[in-house]
Amino acid sequence: MTALVRLQGIRRDFRVGDQVVHALDGIDLAVETGEYLAITGPSGSGKSTLLNVIGLLDRPTAGRYELRGEDVTLLSDEQQAAVRNRTIGFVFQFFHLVPRLTAQENVELPMLLAGIAPEERAGRAAAVLDRLGLADRRHHRPDQLSGGQRQRVAIARATVMQPALILADEPTGNLDTHSGAEVIGILEQLNAEGITLIVVTHDTGIAGRARRRVHIVDGAIQSDRARDPAHGETG
Amino acid sequence: MARPADVAAFALGALRGYRLRTLLMLVAMGIGVAAVVVLTALGEGARRYVADSFASLGTHLLIVLPGRAETRGGVPTTLMGETPRDLTLDDARALLRSRHIRRIAPISVGGSVVSWRARQRDSIVLGTSADFLAIRRWSMRRGRFLPRGELDAAEPVCIIGETVRRELFGVTPALGRWLRIGEYRFRVIGILASSGRSIGVDTQELVIIPVASAQAIFNNPSLFRIIVEARSREDIPRAKADILRIIRARHQGEEDITVITQDAVLATFDRIFRALTLAVGGIAAISLGVAGILIMNVMLVAVTQRRPEIGLLKALGATPRTILLLFLAEAALLSSAGAGLGLVVGQAGSWAVRLGFPVLPAYAPWWASLAGVLVAVGTGTLFSLLPARRAARLDPVAALARR
């Protein structure tokens, strides 16, 4: 079986002044379809950079990245944009909803960019929002929603194109415990339905729930292990 | 790829999202276009005012003056030592031999005291012939104009202007009364209608008598000038050649007259005013350029302000091209709306000018309005190319990282 994500010798260098910083220093990682993976590590360890590379938001300086068996580092900007649109859903710490658009319109954005007709967009967005318990919040703008509701809108937006992969960068970092647990619950539910889920977090409670945990230090994988059943379900 | 309608709707939404910014840009663009419209309307109005004044003089006219002008369109030089021959009634009559000339009116003019019973006033007395009325396109208020007949028939009849009638006769009916011009008595047979605008003369203060009578009163056999009407506009150059040929033949081969064509004078005025219109329009267009730079500045700020949004759109699968289009659409909508607003304000301004100065036909020429709008939309969009490119090239990671 081909891995959904396969990274080989991925490096990402940043030039700061006349120094070169190795944010990613030779990452080898394979993620199978349907996996639930947590990436942890201290601040500045390169875990967000890794997520950006996997999400095609950032190009690695060196190395090979295959998504569904296709080398995506060779794609043009336009082609990468299309892959992001159809295959990858993003959930961010700060939600990143467009403030002037309603929940419904925010969820429709990826479909709008894909050129899907308005009628179909409206139906699909409504269905997804409905499923996430936001049916009565469809026409509210982000500033009229609670943090947890905003993140649920963002998840609706990430899933409306039915992607193979969801990348979540500190999805609970800006939420209270209760909303955070709710959001993680939704993401895990999506994972249970077959969507591959990669979460970047430094919340050990959340990391402990993932079936596989990759720990990064100084741009390199320090440990990569499946969940120890004895220590699971502590969150 | 996003649909064009969705791109436009999204851009419109962004404009609505930043109301103050949008409003200020609309005002800036609007002022620019309105300035172009109003200023060109003023220039064009002035041009048409002059053109209309000339048209009221009658169309395709030529004016024959005694003496030769040294420069085209100038004043005849009688100061050159050479005394020109008189321009006589026979000369005038001879001009009718040309088949390019429809009619002529010889003119002899002078000032004289005009009186009826005890009342009297100084007046300009114009001696001419029956065709004068048609050539100058004047009309009668009451009675009739000079009778047709031989040019040298010095009939004792006169036509008076409205002011002369009021001051001499008051409420007494004037038609049929005999008034006195100098030593001669004339019967009033008509009263001129005030013909509104006309260059040089106020028709209301005139007294018109047969040309032969005027020559007798002023004791001067030479005509002041002859007004000639060509058969058509195209006939004007040939009529002019004919006039020169006929008079030269009659004046022993001497070309001692000047022929002014109305066209030449009008064309000069026309050129001056058109240049003026272009100049003020051009100055106004500079404000459009300024508005364009303002739009560029505002779009640059917008790109910086909306970095997270741009990053998000990229993460959701917007191509650089889509981002470029979104920002260009925003600028194009903004400048189009501003131009539309300016057009409305400009038309309203021109209307106000026409209301305030009814003699000035201040209508902006269509080409100026069109150019104003096109330049506005063009510069607005063009100047946004740089900010839009910047947005399209934005690194999504950096854009998303900032809060």
Side-chain angles (χ1 to χ4, degrees), chain B residues 65-119:
Chain B
L65 309 94
R68 194 158 91 221
E70 293 304 316
T71 48
R72 198 170 82 101
V75 191
T77 38
T78 45
L79 307 168
M80 296 298 288
E82 116 190 52
T83 316
R85 280 171 193 77
D86 290 345
L87 199 54
T88 64
L89 275 182
D90 287 336
D91 290 338
R93 226 183 333 247
L95 293 181
L96 283 172
R97 290 208 304 266
S98 162
R99 58 189 177 84
H100 302 295
I101 291 172
R102 176 180 291 158
R103 47 196 168 198
I104 58 144
I107 290 182
S108 174
V109 77
S112 179
V113 175
V114 180
S115 60
W116 182 67
R117 295 191 182 156
R119 300 187 200 170

Side-chain angles (χ1 to χ4, degrees), chain A residues 78 84-85 96 100 115 121, chain B residues 3 6 309 312 314 316:
Chain A
E78 312 277 320
R84 279 199 298 274
N85 185 245
H96 280 297
R100 61 174 182 276
R121 290 207 302 258
Chain B
R3 299 154 159 249
D6 288 332
E309 182 184 322
L312 169 78
K314 289 200 157 186
L316 295 182

Side-chain angles (χ1 to χ4, degrees), chain A residues 40-59:
Chain A
T40 57
S43 290
S45 60
K47 57 188 192 299
S48 285
T49 305
L50 178 60
L51 199 74
N52 290 334
V53 168
I54 295 173
L56 295 175
L57 293 175
D58 202 357
R59 284 178 185 269

Side-chain angles (χ1 to χ4, degrees), chain B residues 133 138-141 159-162 190-194 203 208:
Chain B
L133 190 74
W138 289 354
S139 54
M140 303 299 297
R141 164 157 299 168
I159 288 91
I160 59 176
E162 183 56 28
I191 293 155
L192 280 174
S194 46
T203 58
I208 297 176

Side-chain angles (χ1 to χ4, degrees), chain B residues 65-233:
Chain B
L65 309 94
R68 194 158 91 221
E70 293 304 316
T71 48
R72 198 170 82 101
V75 191
T77 38
T78 45
L79 307 168
M80 296 298 288
E82 116 190 52
T83 316
R85 280 171 193 77
D86 290 345
L87 199 54
T88 64
L89 275 182
D90 287 336
D91 290 338
R93 226 183 333 247
L95 293 181
L96 283 172
R97 290 208 304 266
S98 162
R99 58 189 177 84
H100 302 295
I101 291 172
R102 176 180 291 158
R103 47 196 168 198
I104 58 144
I107 290 182
S108 174
V109 77
S112 179
V113 175
V114 180
S115 60
W116 182 67
R117 295 191 182 156
R119 300 187 200 170
Q120 64 176 51
R121 80 188 298 275
D122 280 324
S123 206
I124 295 169
V125 176
L126 188 98
T128 186
S129 65
D131 280 336
F132 181 81
L133 190 74
I135 290 175
R136 291 300 306 259
R137 321 226 145 162
W138 289 354
S139 54
M140 303 299 297
R141 164 157 299 168
R142 217 165 293 138
R144 53 197 169 80
F145 198 66
L146 295 173
R148 298 203 167 270
E150 284 303 306
L151 283 181
D152 40 19
E155 285 189 58
V157 291
C158 70
I159 288 91
I160 59 176
E162 183 56 28
T163 309
V164 177
R165 183 201 66 77
R166 197 177 56 242
E167 289 184 9
L168 289 188
F169 297 99
V171 293
T172 319
L175 283 184
R177 311 263 167 197
W178 288 81
L179 51 69
R180 189 173 281 278
I181 303 173
E183 301 300 307
Y184 299 81
R185 276 159 51 83
F186 291 86
R187 191 162 58 89
V188 178
I189 58 168
I191 293 155
L192 280 174
S194 46
S195 70
R197 247 176 296 138
S198 182
I199 284 186
V201 235
D202 187 346
T203 58
Q204 306 193 28
E205 307 215 343
L206 274 185
V207 175
I208 297 176
I209 58 177
V211 64
S213 308
Q215 285 177 321
I217 293 176
F218 303 125
N219 191 24
N220 181 359
S222 180
L223 294 172
F224 175 62
R225 57 190 57 179
I226 304 170
I227 299 183
V228 176
E229 186 180 321
R231 289 208 177 272
S232 70
R233 207 181 173 84

Side-chain angles (χ1 to χ4, degrees), chain A residues 25-29 50 212-224:
Chain A
D25 199 2
I27 299 273
D28 296 310
L29 180 70
L50 178 60
R212 180 179 167 196
R213 182 170 166 179
V214 172
H215 191 70
I216 294 187
V217 175
D218 290 340
I221 295 176
Q222 199 190 46
S223 67
D224 179 353

